[in-house]
Amino acid sequence: MEPINLKIGEKLKSIRNVRMMSLDDAAALTGVSKPMLGQIERGQSIPTVTTLWKIATGLKMPLSFFLEGQQAEYTIVSPDQTNVILGDGGKMRACPLFTYDPVRSVETFYIEFDQGCRHSSDKHNDGVEEHIFVLHGTLQLVLGEKTVTVSEKQAVRFRADIPHAYQNLSGSECAVYNTIFYPSHYERRA
């Protein structure tokens, strides 16, 4: 399996080439510095989940586009610790289960939050929606001005086109499935 840093770098470079964008253009769209984008493209840096979201949002691409491989007729998956995206100093680990599917406009992650972890997410593109199913632990979500607590074996659906945050309220690790739905008008350009 190809290392995640090389996969992300290749995808980023392919998007820029298809759109005939310079690193300066990509930096302006994403808010990620030109040197950092260059390091990512060369496979010298693995972006955090926050940085990858900025890149994906700025380029109007689904996050898992940067991680996807060839899709089969059916797939059984488990979290792949070699394909993990880290956030909050490693206290949050997101493993893509099903990368972006252009037919269904959806992607799914398995995410672990260490005890006390709080992860903030910028707003996603208009119309993006998230579904979170808590496998174990208790997750608090801050959705704009509202706070919602989701307990083990509960699920929540929310619009992700607002700033939002996830916090593990458990005395131990909290694990969730996170499915992200993109609106039907969402364009995949690569």
Side-chain angles (χ1 to χ4, degrees):
M1 177 178 281
E2 183 178 31
I4 191 167
N5 58 322
L6 297 179
K7 189 181 296 187
I8 292 170
E10 287 170 4
K11 294 285 188 165
L12 177 56
K13 190 170 187 171
S14 74
I15 292 167
R16 281 197 322 100
N17 288 338
V18 167
R19 296 182 185 177
M20 295 181 284
M21 297 172 61
S22 67
L23 280 173
D24 287 319
D25 296 334
L29 285 174
T30 64
V32 176
S33 73
K34 177 181 172 180
M36 176 57 73
L37 291 173
Q39 288 175 1
I40 292 167
E41 278 193 8
R42 292 187 300 275
Q44 297 171 332
S45 179
I46 300 174
T48 64
V49 70
T50 301
T51 300
L52 195 54
W53 265 118
K54 285 182 179 182
I55 293 169
T57 300
L59 297 176
K60 298 190 183 328
M61 298 297 297
L63 178 76
S64 68
F65 168 79
F66 294 95
L67 311 168
E68 73 184 340
Q70 190 168 342
Q71 295 194 8
E73 186 176 325
Y74 69 90
T75 307
I76 298 172
V77 296
S78 297
D80 178 0
Q81 297 302 321
T82 62
N83 237 4
V84 67
I85 306 166
L86 301 176
D88 300 293
K91 293 181 180 179
M92 178 187 135
R93 295 163 301 283
C95 301
L97 294 175
F98 299 106
T99 57
Y100 179 72
D101 179 340
V103 174
R104 294 170 188 82
S105 294
V106 65
E107 60 187 344
T108 303
F109 295 88
Y110 170 78
I111 304 175
E112 297 172 337
F113 300 92
D114 286 344
Q115 181 180 358
C117 176
R118 185 179 196 285
H119 175 73
S120 296
S121 180
D122 294 330
K123 71 183 201 96
H124 304 316
N125 292 319
D126 290 343
V128 174
E129 183 176 277
E130 291 189 30
H131 295 190
I132 296 179
F133 179 82
V134 178
L135 299 168
H136 58 85
T138 302
L139 187 68
Q140 182 179 70
L141 296 166
V142 178
L143 309 171
E145 302 289 321
K146 296 179 181 164
T147 301
V148 177
T149 301
V150 187
S151 299
E152 191 168 307
K153 299 182 182 176
Q154 288 186 323
V156 62
R157 177 180 71 193
F158 64 94
R159 289 185 54 162
D161 54 3
I162 58 172
H164 50 286
Y166 316 83
Q167 182 169 359
N168 178 1
L169 296 181
S170 310
S172 61
E173 181 182 272
C174 177
V176 305
Y177 287 128
N178 181 2
T179 302
I180 303 170
F181 295 89
Y182 296 89
S184 59
H185 65 275
Y186 195 83
E187 279 189 44
R188 180 166 181 206
R189 300 178 187 147

